[in-house]
Amino acid sequence: MWQERKADLVATMKLRRQSLAKGWYKYSRNPLSVLGLIVLVLIGTSAGLAPYITPYPAHAGAFTNFREAGQPPSWKHLFGTDRIGRDVFTRVIFGYRFSLLLGVVVLSLGVAPGVVLGLIAGYRRGTWVEIVIMRITDVFLAVPPLVLALAITAMLTPNLLNAMFAIALLWWPWYCRLVFAVASSLRNQFFVREAELCGASRAHILFREILPNCVAPILTKMTLDMGIVILLGASLSFVGLGAQPPTPCLGTMVADGAKRLPGEWWSTIFPALAIVLVILAFNLVGDGLRDVFAVEEV
Amino acid sequence: MALLEVVDLHVGYRVFEGYLKVLNGVNFEIEEQERVGLVGETGCGKTTLVKTILRVLPVPPARIQRGQVLYHGKDILLMSPREVRGLRRREMTAIFQDPLQALNPMFTIGTQLRDILKDSQERVGRGQRTQRAITARCISALRDTGMPDPERIMSNYPIQLSGGMRQRVCIAEALSRNVRLLLADEPTTNLDVTIQDQILRKLDQLVDQRGASVLIITHSMGVVRDLTQRLYIMYAGSMVETGRTKGVLASPLHPYTQGLMRSVPRLTGQGISDGIPGRIPNYLQPPSGCRFHPRCAHAMPVCVEAPPPFYPAGDNHRVACYLYRS
Amino acid sequence: MAKFIGQRLAQSLFVLFGLSLLIFFIARVVPGDPARAALGFLATQDQVEKMRAEMHLDKPFVVQYYYWFTGLLRGDLGKSSYTHRPVTTDLGQFIPATLELILFATLISLTVGQVTGVLAGYFRNSWFDGLSRLISYLGIATPSFVVAILLIFVFSQLLRLAPSVGRLPIMVAPPPTVTGFMVLDALIAGRVEVALVALKHLLLPAVSLALIHIAQEGRITRTSIVENLDKDYITMHKVHGIRTSRLVFKYLLRPSIIPTVAVIGLDFAFLMSNAFLVELVFMWPGFARYAVTTMLNKDLNAMVAVVLVIGVTFAMVNLLVDILITFLDPTIRIQRRGG
Amino acid sequence: MPGDILSVDNLRKHFPTKEGVVRAVDGVSFSIAPGETFGLVGESGSGKTTTAQCIIGMYPPTSGDIWFKGERINAAFDRRPKHVKGDLRIVFQDPGSSLNPKRTIKQILSVPLQVHRIGSRRGRLARMKALLDMVELPADEYLYKHPQAIGGGERQMVALARALATNPSLVLLDEPTSALDVSVQAKIINLLIRLQKELDLTYLFITHDLSLMRNIATRVAIMYLGKLCEIAPTAEFFESPVHPYTRMLLSSIPVVSDEEEALKPRKVLSTGEIPSPVNVPPGCGFQSRCPEAADVCRRVDPEMVEVSRSHQVRCHRERRPDRAGHAEASVLHEREERLC
Amino acid sequence: ENVAVINGFPVITADPATASDWYDTEVMYNLYSPLVYPSPDGGVRPHLAVSWEAVGGDLTHWRFNLRQGVKFHSGNTLTAEDVAFSMTRFITMGRGNSGPLGQVTAVVVDTYTVDFVLDKPSAIFPETLALFFPVEKNLVLANIKKPGPYGDLGDYGEEWLGTHDAGTGPYMMTSHIPGQRLDATRFLDYFEGWSNEGWGPDEVPIERLVFIMETDYTTLMTLLRAGMLDLEINGGWTLPQLREIQEDNRLRLSFCWAQNVTVWMNSKVPPTDDEHFRKAILYAFDYESILGPWAEFGNGETGIILPNMPGYVPIEPQPRKQDLERARQELALSKYAANLRDVKVTFHFCGGLDFEEEVGLQLQADMAQLGVRVEVAGPPWPQYSASCSAPETTPNLTIFLFAPQAFPPHDYYLYSMFSASGLGWIFSAHWYFEDPEIAHLLDETRAEPDPGRRMDIYRQLQPLIAAHSLAFYPYQKPTLFAHQAYIVGPKESIAFVGPSENMHNWRINLKLKQELRG
Ligand SMILES: Nc1ncnc2c1ncn2[C@@H]1O[C@H](COP(=O)(O)OP(=O)(O)OP(=O)(O)O)[C@@H](O)[C@H]1O
Ligand SMILES: Nc1ncnc2c1ncn2[C@@H]1O[C@H](COP(=O)(O)OP(=O)(O)OP(=O)(O)O)[C@@H](O)[C@H]1O
Ligand SMILES: [Mg+2]
Ligand SMILES: [Mg+2]
């Protein structure tokens, strides 16, 4: 008996390992995606270890040094210093923390409700449940997210938390719609029908039969969305509605430095490129994931 | 000289997992005004073969490793795009399996038909008269296929037609010009028997009128028996047996053909055999030698070594099996 | 078709109604005092109280909404507490500038995106395909405000090639407003040189807006061309000996263009939100800049109007796109005709 | 009949759509005795699947009754008692979409076991292996595979194993082999026949392939445009088809041998296509394609009549006493030949 | 070309009854004339009114004699009717700068005499009228839009006045696109005339004014460099920009008046409710560091009122210097000494303003040395100002730049900021009104008709207020007018928003312009 269960476990693990290996194989076929992943890992770890690897960790917090303000890039300050004398390189690395945190928090708050609502609406398509959920979704989707995010954050006290809150509030409808589309097409698939006919519970059908089929698009969208959320966060802080000083925040740094163009170009160009890099990396990884999942569908 | 002769054709696909060796030394020929059937199960490479002949194989992922496709003795695979286009306009054409996929959903039947005639070399002249002449020819081509009310159909879009109607349109497109060779890739697989019956009868008639040769590709033994004089049986990328249709069906020689024939449900109702054990091989690592040997009850050591050539078995009947070596 | 449009319009109305409720609600629940903001510096508490009564801020949410809604039915969106003008007047002044910008950007992104997409798709895996892929990756990853700043830095500050602010140089008197589009108005007034100058001013902001969309549209078109190239019907067209030019520009392009058209609506939404930032960077005296200002000032009436205008535009664009697709795609047309 | 395992009485299923009401099933009655293989044949769109889906409870019928083992089961699945759900199972046509591509075969097979509380947690694994053995798949290997990783025929076998997991007594087979090659089909058909014997199963077998039907069914019903045309025991059905549509079908079948050719009725040229089930014209549904449609056929829809015991047919011609039986078949053929 | 392009920030309203903003005031002084005109000594001198007196002894009844022959831009003559109408309109609409006036009833005595009756006595009433700009009665009445909130008077002409003017000022509005641009031309019949006395031979009046509204200083710099901008009067330049302007011989930088950077300390919420804690902040702040780079442009010296205003008294610490030792001592005395770790000081600045942010960051760094956490935030203006409407919502520290923008400026700096009738927002974000002596003295300033003695009271007040450490004053931010060298002015510089930007006070040297710009 025990032997049998062990064999079962081993086989299951082996299957899982195999599909992971296969996924990675497909992913690794695209060198750009691999590059994106490497960049992302680099950004992630350096953001995580920022206090230990940056040259002037103090510059991320309460610090001023007007004597060294506005210095051009040099070996001492790779990306130069800003108007208060802080090391731009250090602040860019710390700035990634904010961006990544924003992305992770927004998506983890936004995705779950969106997915659940989308599943329910998709499965119960044609009933009042679907109508209520999808009309509410429509309302949220009726204006571009940045506009609503601006409107909301403009009214709240600007800080990291409120920016996250505002964006998260806007994010679920996208997942709701995505999952709705998948779920309502899967609803008539025979394997769902079969589970119903067999007497399986709603929860089983929603979360065991339909949800696994939504995972691929959700994951892909999530990686691509990380880029979009980071962009949105950067945009909000560019307008001055993001994290508050002295928190290093890429959008704020760009906005701040832009006032000093073309003279102190380094204080805006480097943070701007940093934003581009992280979004690019997420896009590349997202495309890689899409490849992985797309081939599987065939 | 045969109208079309395929010699030792090897074609594969490069995919994520590796290289799929699909066509494995295909040899076959079609004579002038001959009707040839090609029967094989799903995935044995029938469509690949047709696309190779027509030079429309997507390259990459596909790759033509070696072999020749001789049309009147000239290798199609070596022709310039211009020559190929000329060939397609005048000499050979095709009908594909899925009539919905084969018609462009964005344009009316009339537009598509007319453009084929406009671009074919059979020009009548220029100007308004030509337009009207072309339209008239389109309508008559549709009517030839047994299409009711062809004038109306001309302004319809593919989705407005039923499966049978679409297939008639495909036939009209293929036979609107006077071609010498028609490659029909499973023209009736998705249709009901009654409709299939109508369409095959019509196709038969039209090909007869034009004196063209036909290659009919199908899963169905019954269809080839009705329509063709000669038959090829294909398995996993190569031809395993050929001969006069009735002869092959009545007394199949290759173990695969025999298994297949036993699996076909008969109207006589004597029950069905157990089919053929196993399934079609994986093209990534196909079995060496005769690709059928892992499923074959008569497999011998020699089968593993090299693919068998065709051995004659009397009365035009040839089999690629070492059982018939002597 | 008429029925379809009617349905869609009704649906949009419903959504817009929900949207106005949502904005109103959000604006009410968050703290802040629009009356105070409206009055300015030296106002006394009494004056503020009076203003609050005038703005119905002392009433419950539902009553406020009722006032606003009945006003809307009369075509009255209320008064902006920031500019002290009727919101409709403000909108009338600012929208054309933004529209000009967005339309020009759309024009650029559609043409450039389409052409590169078609070429990259048809010559897939060529160097051109690789190059356009690389550029499109960069384009998608670069926020438009970053593009804007980079463009200003390079073209207007380093190279001094293009102006970086506004719609016209200060010393040039704007032509009389007819369409609200500077270029058109200048042409109508017969001042060609002004039109050219206005166009020059339009260029950088429009390009910064368009870049990301060029990338996106190019990519979608490419994908869809590649997808269609593999379709049986394209193979069939080849088999039937259709000329290459006809094959590409008629039989391939038409089905491939539909996905691009389908995303125009969504694209437009992003274009609008990007316009918010680009207008700030280029000091474009447009709607988006007005919107940001009113939002920051908690100018309730203006804010609701701004969001609604965007909602309406978005809905209209989507409707237009749907009609366009119906026009382009007979499959959908036939289905809708049945309905 | 009291002994029947399933009986369907005047079943109708109409779908309201944009274009109009689709009369997918329009008054179908039949019953199946235990141990039978009841074959339902018809061209595509004739309503076979809809009939099966009403029986299985995917949607409630518009009207009519369905009796299963003496129990009236008109409601849709969500209102049916659980034992019925276990006792009445279905295998769908498309092996691609009937198995969830994201779940392993083990997970797929465990659903009915869990839902119907069959076996202990431990025992289930053994039970699943037994099921796979039953459908002749090597259990240890297949249990841990995803459906995409196996062939079409094997998928259909897994679907069958899943259907059998709850020990049903009636299994609806909706074209279980039409997407498969003949060599694979042969295997599955044999498997079905074997399992029927072993497990005392009753089948409702849906197909459009008459030759296949000849080899598996005990009784055959022909469906056309939502209505049954003819029901007869298999042998009688093939030996003496009565309905003009049946004969048209039979004569259109491509066959592979001369013996079969001899069994086919004389050629009835097939014309026209099955009309759309929306706004069905009055009279007999087949009237538009029937080579000898009379005036009455265009006005009145015929009723089902018995030609002989257990052989029923729905054709006006059978009403006229002077033209019963095969006598008039030749007349038809003559006329047919004159037409050609 | 005889044009001056002037940058003012968005003019929100051009109606004198609703204008309140700094930028509005700048424009007002060009289009309209106030009843009395600010003078450099902090008082007012005759302008539209030639003389005035309090009637009766209680300072509630004031009589003004108007200048005769003053022409409106329409060509009509200004009369008491117009002034009375304007005052009634100002008070009825109750917006803009009308707050400090209270309830005023205007009575026409004769064609050139008008009486104002106040609801409470005020000795400084005449001075407050430096922000009262009469409009032409008939013109406004002719352009009323009905319906409006004022019954028969509709909208009181507000909408029309947004894009037209009805004034007597040196320039006449020719067009106004709110938020974008305001054009004006010289009014030849301006009652003060356009004599060239005191100006150089080539310096002629400016014919046309273009007010543009641009907040981005990168852009402004580009425009200035290119000669497309003649005068910038808000002075939001960055240091490198200021240096560039200084070095360019075609440009000039003139100092006009200062704004004092004030950091209010909220005396009602912990930990700044403790006076010692406030003092600690005062000493902890590193004034030199923040001033360092600005020293060449500004002035470290600043206090409750501006140093260049008459009656200025320096306040502690002097010289303004960081003294961490002293700060530590004060901190030890405060009731939060035991648990400094739990203390959190909030510092708000108006979002987007660099100087203010830098002060916050500097303070943050300084206080960190004492183990006190400072949270810096820069909400946008509306939230920023709204949070100061109640003591509980007011942050510990609020930084604000006070430029003298109400008149008289002493009253603005002292009375409106430190009297209990405080307005409930940014002016008194310290929330301290307990000291009876201060309250008494403040009331006295408004009851003292003699300007000299009033000034004495002002001097007396400053150390008293400073003793409570309600604010610290990091530095004085100079308002630097950047302009083309060929734009000359202002002839008369007054520490008050408006008169310095009155372009009647400026001239253009066309010859020089020709030379410098070609
Ligand atoms: N574009 C392609 N890329 C990769 N593999 C392909 C491609 N086209 C076909 N194949 C593979 O080649 C093999 C033969 O395919 P082909 O379509 O020629 O078979 P077929 O005999 O026509 O089958 P069917 O009866 O299903 O039409 C299959 O195993 C298929 O997986
Ligand atoms: N849910 C539905 N809504 C509308 N029409 C439907 C629906 N389901 C089936 N139909 C229609 O009912 C008719 C009968 O369909 P059904 O699937 O039962 O036919 P079938 O005999 O199983 O055909 P096939 O051989 O193609 O499987 C068809 O015309 C179909 O279009
Ligand atoms: Mg094929
Ligand atoms: Mg079916």
Side-chain angles (χ1 to χ4, degrees), chain A residues 102 145-146 149 167 170-171 227-237:
Chain A
L102 178 79
L146 178 67
I167 304 178
L170 303 173
W171 227 251
I228 299 178
V229 170
I230 288 174
L231 191 151
L232 209 56
S235 306
L236 282 185
S237 34

Side-chain angles (χ1 to χ4, degrees), chain D residues 15 17 22 24 43-50 59 93 175 208 277:
Chain D
F15 295 106
T17 62
V22 176
E43 282 180 290
S44 80
S46 59
K48 310 179 294 291
T49 301
T50 310
Y59 20 64
Q93 167 172 10
E175 310 201 27
H208 56 243

Side-chain angles (χ1 to χ4, degrees), chain B residues 40-43 162-165 168 191-198 201 219-223 225-226 246 249-250 256 259-279 295, chain D residues 42-44 142 149-151 154 181-187 189-190 208-212 214-215 238 245 248-261 263-264 267-274 289:
Chain B
E41 286 182 295
T42 302
S162 68
M165 294 294 185
R168 285 178 213 264
L191 302 177
D192 281 317
V193 274
T194 52
I195 313 293
Q196 166 175 302
D197 189 49
Q198 294 172 27
R201 261 188 288 141
H219 291 155
S220 164
M221 298 289 189
V223 167
R225 182 171 179 276
D226 272 359
K246 291 238 161 95
L249 295 186
Y256 172 68
L260 213 52
M261 287 310 292
R262 279 199 303 273
S263 308
V264 177
R266 310 286 175 110
L267 258 190
T268 43
Q270 72 267 61
I272 307 171
S273 84
D274 238 0
I276 309 170
R279 59 172 153 128
R295 301 173 74 180
Chain D
E43 282 180 290
S44 80
Y142 276 77
I150 62 180
E154 287 146 352
D181 275 327
V182 273
S183 63
V184 182
Q185 161 176 299
K187 202 154 153 189
I189 295 297
N190 281 310
H208 56 243
D209 183 350
L210 273 173
S211 323
L212 181 59
R214 177 74 186 89
N215 290 286
F238 284 93
Y245 175 59
M248 182 190 278
L249 266 183
L250 277 172
S251 72
S252 302
I253 303 175
V255 293
V256 296
S257 60
D258 292 339
E259 305 92 79
E260 289 174 84
E261 204 74 72
L263 285 173
K264 280 170 42 170
K267 189 86 183 165
V268 182
L269 269 188
S270 123
T271 52
E273 294 193 10
I274 186 166
R289 295 172 74 188

